[in-house]
Amino acid sequence: MKGFCKLLDVIYTVCLTAFVLSLIAMLLVQVVCLFIMNGPASVWIYDFIMPKAGVVAAVMVVAVVLLSYLRPNKKTND
């Protein structure tokens, strides 16, 4: 079970990194497109990245939900 949790941790970390880096790249391209007044390129990069980012985010959510059920709850003394 711990091996599966570690695998889900790796999947989550890789997906989070890919998601954040792809959105940073999209933002930088859109800023450049704003300065050079190239609207079609801005729309193209948005249409290119957003479906892929949605899939990555969905995989990330599934991994987090599975991890929340598989990891034991830590009890704190409050």
Side-chain angles (χ1 to χ4, degrees), residues 8-63:
L8 288 174
D9 277 335
V10 169
I11 290 172
Y12 172 73
T13 304
V14 168
C15 286
L16 181 64
T17 304
F19 183 77
V20 169
L21 290 177
S22 66
L23 292 184
I24 288 172
M26 182 183 72
L27 177 68
L28 292 176
V29 170
Q30 286 186 337
V31 167
V32 169
C33 289
L34 178 69
F35 285 121
I36 63 172
M37 299 291 189
N38 191 351
S42 178
V43 172
W44 178 83
I45 194 71
Y46 180 84
D47 290 340
F48 179 74
I49 289 181
M50 287 312 289
K52 294 165 184 63
V55 170
V56 170
V59 170
M60 196 168 46
V61 167
V62 169

Side-chain angles (χ1 to χ4, degrees), residues 1-9 72:
M1 189 63 69
K2 287 185 180 184
F4 186 63
C5 286
K6 286 184 180 183
L7 176 66
L8 288 174
D9 277 335

